[in-house]
Amino acid sequence: MTLARSLRAWTAPMAQVNRPRDGIRGMIAKRRFHRGDLLMDVPLRYCYFPHASRNPRRLRRWNRSALFPEAQLWLLRLSSDASDAGVSLSASVSTEDNKVVTLTLSPVEASLAVSVALRYFWRKVVLLKNREGAGRPALGPSNFHPADLYLQSIPMEEHILYGLERPYFSDVEDEANVHSNIEQIAWNLRDCILTCAPQEEYAFYDAHPSDLDATLLAAIYVVRARLLRMATIFGDERSSDRVTSVIAPVVDFLNHGSAGHNCAACVTIPKRAVVVRAVRDIGVGEELTLDYRGPVQQRRGGFQNYRGTSGCEEAEEREDWWESRYLFSANDA
């Protein structure tokens, strides 16, 4: 069963292939698409909204995704209102010109990174089987088919073996300092994992410390690289539109293409789905790409809830805003 089928997502005829020029995996069209054609429809129950709200309770309410069952527990542990001593998800370093570079992860990003890292650790590093010698590991996260399929779709081995890609949405040009910050946050998450681990699991973490650190670091990069910004449509009135950050499985198979992207995505609240449509005619064999930055250049605040009471990201005017608004509506998305 493919990941899309396990999530009850719908996709038009397309295939995942490696690009000849650089070997990066991407999605290509298997038939001709016309402008406005529906390409993907992914239920919101499998998506995450890392910046849905600054209020911890509202943030958890928006992120009850069924993709990683264990992520909800980690989100509770990593939230700012956690009962235990909070885990620092921010790190800062000083540069040679006396500037301070600070990076902060959302609790949702951190909980997803931990979920991805631990599933990879127990399935690829420890390779622990149950007493019958097969089936789910006796320790670590329990088997859950959608989560395991999503893990298989992530190029964790490439990140660990060949290096880490630059995270999206980083306004900092000094990548070495950004990496130092992410490394510090990964250590903080590792300490949280060791603190919460049962004695049997702790023994395996203690036996593979470098593998756990490398897996956590790669998982943070992987999660951040899959963060997409897109329009959110609450109704037919354009004034209610907002822009938010989304981690949407299957949709994140599409590569980023800032200049010549041929697809646009949006969150439609009435249909509770993330949908992708073609913004121009697409030929057979052409790669399908999204602009990961979404329809606005800058991000301000959080995400507006149904009643519009929390801080939100105002949808700013831009020449291509008609692109998503014309192709998507509350009833037709």
Side-chain angles (χ1 to χ4, degrees):
M1 178 182 290
T2 65
L3 176 61
R5 290 179 60 188
S6 70
L7 303 182
R8 296 183 179 179
W10 182 89
T11 62
M14 59 184 69
Q16 191 173 41
V17 299
N18 293 329
R19 293 194 304 214
R21 66 178 184 273
D22 53 20
I24 295 177
R25 287 185 295 183
M27 302 295 291
I28 63 169
K30 294 182 67 176
R31 70 169 178 84
R32 181 174 177 80
F33 297 117
H34 299 285
R35 182 173 180 271
D37 283 353
L38 180 64
L39 303 180
M40 290 183 177
D41 186 313
V42 180
L44 285 187
R45 67 188 303 261
Y46 295 106
C47 301
Y48 291 92
F49 299 87
H51 306 101
S53 175
R54 296 180 181 179
N55 182 291
R57 291 186 178 181
R58 289 177 181 168
L59 185 66
R60 290 194 293 270
R61 187 175 65 200
W62 271 97
N63 288 279
R64 295 173 179 172
S65 173
L67 182 58
F68 286 95
E70 64 272 22
Q72 295 185 29
L73 176 59
W74 285 110
L75 179 57
L76 185 63
R77 290 170 173 169
L78 298 172
S79 293
S80 58
D81 62 344
S83 56
D84 299 332
V87 179
S88 176
L89 301 179
S90 296
S92 300
V93 295
S94 299
T95 63
E96 295 180 355
D97 52 356
N98 296 323
K99 294 182 179 179
V100 177
V101 178
T102 302
L103 186 139
T104 302
L105 283 189
S106 160
V108 177
E109 293 174 293
S111 64
L112 276 177
V114 171
S115 300
V116 169
L118 293 187
R119 279 190 178 268
Y120 181 87
F121 178 85
W122 288 102
R123 282 152 178 74
K124 301 294 184 179
V125 177
V126 177
L127 298 176
L128 185 65
K129 300 296 183 180
N130 60 17
R131 295 178 181 177
E132 288 73 25
R136 77 171 184 85
L139 301 175
S142 59
N143 275 354
F144 186 64
H145 199 51
D148 293 333
L149 286 175
Y150 187 69
L151 181 65
Q152 294 175 16
S153 72
I154 297 175
M156 287 287 289
E157 291 85 356
E158 288 83 350
H159 283 270
I160 293 174
L161 292 176
Y162 303 115
L164 302 166
E165 64 187 355
R166 178 178 179 178
Y168 285 99
F169 309 129
S170 174
D171 296 327
V172 183
E173 296 182 357
D174 193 340
E175 296 182 30
N177 291 326
V178 173
H179 180 80
S180 297
N181 285 336
I182 294 180
E183 193 173 42
Q184 180 60 58
I185 295 174
W187 292 340
N188 296 343
L189 294 178
R190 175 203 58 196
D191 293 342
C192 179
I193 292 172
L194 295 178
T195 301
C196 299
Q199 184 175 358
E200 296 83 356
E201 293 185 5
Y202 183 94
F204 285 93
Y205 295 141
D206 189 53
H208 304 274
S210 59
D211 291 321
L212 180 60
D213 287 345
T215 302
L216 273 170
L217 191 62
I220 293 175
Y221 274 93
V222 166
V223 169
R224 285 176 60 83
R226 276 157 176 72
L227 195 64
L228 299 92
R229 287 169 52 79
M230 62 183 69
T232 301
I233 297 177
F234 289 85
D236 289 329
E237 292 296 327
R238 174 177 168 176
S239 60
S240 65
D241 295 348
R242 296 294 180 264
V243 175
T244 191
S245 302
V246 185
I247 295 176
V250 182
V251 177
D252 58 18
F253 288 175
L254 305 182
N255 285 324
H256 171 67
S258 57
H261 65 280
N262 50 26
C263 302
C266 87
V267 177
T268 167
I269 298 300
K271 289 195 173 183
R272 301 194 62 80
V274 173
V275 297
V276 179
R277 288 186 182 272
V279 298
R280 61 171 175 81
D281 291 349
I282 302 173
V284 177
E286 186 176 350
E287 184 179 5
L288 306 174
T289 57
L290 283 171
D291 188 343
Y292 276 35
R293 299 169 301 179
V296 294
Q297 295 285 357
Q298 298 177 346
R299 181 172 64 193
R300 300 203 306 265
F303 185 73
Q304 188 175 33
N305 62 17
Y306 287 102
R307 298 182 181 179
T309 56
S310 67
C312 65
E313 298 170 332
E314 294 294 341
E316 298 175 353
E317 289 288 342
R318 198 171 121 182
E319 291 182 359
D320 62 355
W321 176 252
W322 64 270
E323 200 171 73
S324 60
R325 190 63 212 174
Y326 175 78
L327 296 173
F328 304 108
S329 69
N331 295 323
D332 300 329

